[in-house]
Amino acid sequence: IEHPDRSYADQSGGPFTQVSIARPSTAVTMKLPPLPKQRRRRRIIAAGAIAAVLLIWALLAISSVFDGRAAALDGLDRLEGIRDRFEIEQLESGELVAELSTASNDFSSAQSELRALWVAPLRIVPWVGTQIRSADALSNSASIVADELAGAAERVLEVKEESQAETITKAGAAQELLTLVRSARARFSDLDLGPDGGLIGALEDARGRFDEERTDLDATLADAETALAGMTEFLSGPTTYLLLSANTSEMRAGSGRFLIAGPVSINDGEITVGDLVPPEDILLEPDAVEITDEDFAANWSSLQPTVDLRNLGTTPRFDVTAPLAADMWETATGQAVDGVLVIDPVALQGILGTGASVDVDGLKIDAENVFSFVVFDQYWEEDKPTRRLRQRELASAALSAAVSADTDLVELVEALEVAVASSHILAWSRSATQQATWELIGAAGQIGADSLMASLVNDGFNKLDTFVEISARVSSSREAGDVAVALSLDLENTAGPQLPGYVLGPYDWLGVELGTYIGTLIINLPGAANDIDIDGPGEIVVEGTDGPTRLLALSVAIDANRVATYDIGFTLPSGFQTITIEPSARVPGVQ
């Protein structure tokens, strides 16, 4: 220390740490010795080590974030790919469970990366933390979905095996599946998708995709819940339906003609088929049952449809005719029913398609021959009571086979999907829960304001519908704002003399040659259709409304090996975007 008056020595023996001045008002200058080279080197090394650690941390954190993001996106892609392949075959093979497990592993890997220790500090960094928290929440929610679906898939197979082993009834199996669906919906309802703002493009897209998938999944599960709730109630019972066995060789609108009727009771998965009778055995007096639907009454009351069950099918609206059939049955027999069920040869084929077979009057009937037997082969038997007996036995045996322990419930549902979609199975119930199920799966026989449907009703007391082929062409164009629609129908009668006489129609009093098809062409057009024009043989017998649709009905007479062509034109308002072409239950179908 240099001072004008005195000097002070370093009393610490080393670098200066404290200096005491007797007269603090006097300026003092301190000269510190230079830092040794070894200390400077240590500080440089320490700073470098800190920088290296920070660099390694940054690399690890960035790598984990990107690896987590990649794993999450891989899992999301896998989930989206699984969605369209969720079928029983993939479940049974274990393929879907394995893929769901892989997706779950992807999301678990993403979570591990995003929750790594070296990533934690980034969570408090503005914007960066938002990305990490969002990716973490999405991965966690997606992992929950994948795990839940994998567990549900395994449980479905367990329920299937338990049903086959008879440890639970069909009703119990349906209840188990219903509980499974409700549990999944509850689990998915409160999923946390994390922050939804300030996200980078890829993460924002992933969040949007997942949210859309969650919405679609919930809608699918909601439909499954509706279907299973009604099916559980139906199978648990006690429930009694009026069974109507329809034959597609003699068509009505939207279904075949009802040839057999009788009660079917279901209780705890067990089905009991009562006495089945031909409709002509339970004819009613006119006006014994009131027609409450104004359109049906206006269009077809002249045919007295509530006298004979076989005359109900002049409208495809099964939700109108089924309640009438139930009331007619109760009036005729005194037995009230909870609903109405219609099956036809295609439905029987679906039921027996699970591998079951039935014995009918000494004949083995299975999926291979049931259709030809019902629509053709049985008519080689000229004795009508014998034919009726076989029809009753077949309907009863097939329904019993449908709920037997040997029949796989899941496979049965799959086998009947096509039959339901093509109106070969129709169902109506007084129970709102069961009716919601029939409507959901498309078995309720309803048409809408945008429906277009062509039905050919057999009035010739023959069985020729299998041999009348219908091809249709429809086109549309916009003209001055409106939509012009053109519908063309070709009806070809391919009947030949090799057919049984009962099929050709031996009814001389009709005044037509054997094999001539006599009927009514019923066309339901969208409700907003106007400027309707029709060109073709026959006369218009009914024109008006049929529920939400416009109705045209024309008389038809087609000689064997002849074609009748009908061209129908109409316009729709400019706002119309779609037309729904409805199935007619014909076999062969309208092409």
Side-chain angles (χ1 to χ4, degrees):
I1 299 176
E2 296 177 356
H3 189 272
D5 299 331
R6 65 186 71 182
S7 62
Y8 297 87
D10 174 15
Q11 298 178 2
S12 67
F16 291 106
T17 57
Q18 181 178 351
V19 177
S20 299
I21 307 297
R23 296 181 296 176
S25 60
T26 305
V28 177
T29 300
M30 297 191 309
K31 291 184 178 179
L32 303 181
L35 200 65
K37 291 183 179 180
Q38 187 175 2
R39 272 191 82 222
R40 289 202 305 270
R41 190 180 306 112
R42 285 201 301 268
R43 288 194 176 185
I44 292 172
I45 292 173
I50 292 172
V53 169
L54 289 174
L55 178 61
I56 293 172
W57 167 77
L59 290 175
L60 285 173
I62 292 172
S63 175
S64 290
V65 170
F66 277 93
D67 287 347
R69 171 182 172 274
L73 291 177
D74 287 344
L76 185 57
D77 289 338
R78 200 178 301 276
L79 277 184
E80 288 178 335
I82 292 172
R83 177 189 57 188
D84 297 328
R85 297 185 295 108
F86 216 84
E87 301 291 343
I88 191 67
E89 289 83 1
Q90 282 76 21
L91 281 178
E92 289 182 318
S93 67
E95 177 184 338
L96 286 185
V97 175
E99 289 196 40
L100 285 167
S101 297
T102 302
S104 179
N105 291 337
D106 287 337
F107 295 125
S108 295
S109 298
Q111 285 181 274
S112 297
E113 297 287 357
L114 294 169
R115 294 179 181 180
L117 182 63
W118 43 82
V119 177
L122 292 178
R123 289 178 175 268
I124 63 175
V125 178
W127 189 79
V128 175
T130 300
Q131 315 306 313
I132 295 174
R133 290 194 300 275
S134 175
D136 186 17
L138 285 175
S139 298
N140 182 59
S141 295
S143 179
I144 291 173
V145 170
D147 288 342
E148 191 77 20
L149 290 179
E154 291 178 339
R155 182 57 185 148
V156 166
L157 295 181
E158 291 173 356
V159 169
K160 176 186 173 183
E161 293 173 357
E162 291 169 8
S163 176
Q164 288 178 316
E166 294 188 80
T167 55
I168 57 173
T169 64
K170 293 291 190 292
Q175 180 62 60
E176 283 283 335
L177 296 178
L178 176 60
T179 301
L180 194 67
V181 168
R182 285 175 172 168
S183 174
R185 287 198 74 194
R187 190 75 175 90
F188 298 156
S189 64
D190 58 353
L191 291 176
D192 178 19
L193 303 189
D196 61 350
L199 302 177
I200 60 175
L203 194 55
E204 184 178 22
D205 176 65
R207 190 186 192 283
R209 287 168 57 197
F210 185 82
D211 196 25
E212 183 178 346
E213 288 294 318
R214 180 178 65 169
T215 301
D216 290 344
L217 177 60
D218 184 67
T220 299
L221 291 175
D223 286 346
E225 182 177 356
T226 297
L228 286 168
M231 193 58 66
T232 299
E233 182 180 288
F234 173 75
L235 291 173
S236 298
T239 305
T240 300
Y241 271 56
L242 172 63
L243 172 67
L244 298 174
S245 179
N247 196 336
T248 55
S249 62
E250 189 175 358
M251 285 300 301
R252 293 293 182 260
S255 181
R257 191 184 192 194
F258 306 144
L259 299 182
I260 295 293
V264 175
S265 298
I266 305 98
N267 190 19
D268 196 23
E270 297 294 327
I271 188 167
T272 303
V273 181
D275 291 334
L276 302 178
V277 299
E280 57 262 38
D281 289 355
I282 52 171
L283 300 179
L284 300 177
E285 294 294 326
D287 303 322
V289 172
E290 180 185 2
I291 301 176
T292 57
D293 185 83
E294 294 181 358
D295 288 343
F296 188 57
N299 297 331
W300 306 111
S301 59
S302 61
L303 298 180
Q304 296 184 327
T306 54
V307 171
D308 189 337
L309 285 169
R310 294 170 295 183
N311 291 337
L312 283 177
T314 46
T315 175
R317 292 190 295 148
F318 188 66
D319 52 334
V320 170
T321 57
L324 289 174
D327 291 344
M328 291 170 67
W329 178 260
E330 182 176 2
T331 301
T333 67
Q335 181 183 30
V337 293
D338 303 306
V340 180
L341 177 67
V342 174
I343 59 174
D344 70 7
V346 176
L348 293 173
Q349 192 173 41
I351 293 172
L352 299 179
T354 59
S357 64
V358 297
D359 182 83
V360 177
D361 196 21
L363 302 173
K364 182 182 178 181
I365 305 297
D366 56 24
E368 295 296 324
N369 63 3
V370 64
F371 183 81
S372 61
F373 171 78
V374 174
V375 303
F376 183 76
D377 294 339
Q378 66 163 322
Y379 294 114
W380 288 112
E381 173 60 62
E382 296 183 359
D383 184 61
K384 190 172 183 179
T386 300
R387 287 202 309 272
R388 295 294 193 213
L389 175 63
R390 290 175 177 174
Q391 291 168 1
R392 292 196 297 270
E393 289 181 352
L394 177 58
S396 178
L399 286 178
S400 297
V403 294
S404 71
D406 296 331
T407 301
D408 186 304
L409 180 62
V410 178
E411 289 183 2
L412 175 63
V413 171
E414 280 203 328
L416 295 180
E417 281 181 345
V418 174
V420 169
S422 304
S423 296
H424 298 294
I425 296 177
L426 298 172
W428 168 85
S429 176
R430 300 188 194 276
S431 163
T433 301
Q434 294 178 42
Q435 181 63 15
T437 296
W438 308 140
E439 292 178 3
L440 176 68
I441 67 176
Q446 297 172 321
I447 55 177
D450 64 347
S451 293
L452 176 63
M453 183 174 182
S455 304
L456 191 55
V457 175
N458 190 324
D459 300 327
F461 301 95
N462 53 50
K463 310 298 178 185
L464 285 174
D465 277 275
T466 305
F467 305 97
V468 176
E469 299 178 358
I470 302 179
S471 60
R473 297 170 299 283
V474 62
S475 61
S476 64
S477 61
R478 294 197 177 270
E479 298 177 0
D482 290 338
V483 182
V485 183
L487 170 67
S488 180
L489 299 169
D490 291 333
L491 284 58
E492 182 178 5
N493 183 358
T494 65
Q498 77 282 3
L499 300 177
Y502 197 79
V503 171
L504 292 172
Y507 295 100
D508 297 334
W509 54 270
L510 287 174
V512 296
E513 293 184 6
L514 205 64
T516 300
Y517 188 92
I518 302 295
T520 304
L521 176 62
I522 296 177
I523 303 171
N524 291 87
L525 304 175
N530 53 64
D531 299 329
I532 301 171
D533 180 65
I534 185 164
D535 180 27
E539 299 179 354
I540 296 178
V541 294
V542 177
E543 187 173 8
T545 59
D546 189 13
T549 65
R550 293 289 302 274
L551 173 68
L552 278 176
L554 297 95
S555 60
V556 170
I558 313 172
D559 293 336
N561 299 310
R562 293 291 185 270
V563 178
T565 298
Y566 297 84
D567 293 310
I568 301 99
F570 58 95
T571 60
L572 295 170
S574 57
F576 242 81
Q577 298 297 321
T578 60
I579 293 175
T580 300
I581 299 175
E582 305 287 356
S584 66
R586 290 190 62 83
V587 180
V590 178
Q591 301 300 314

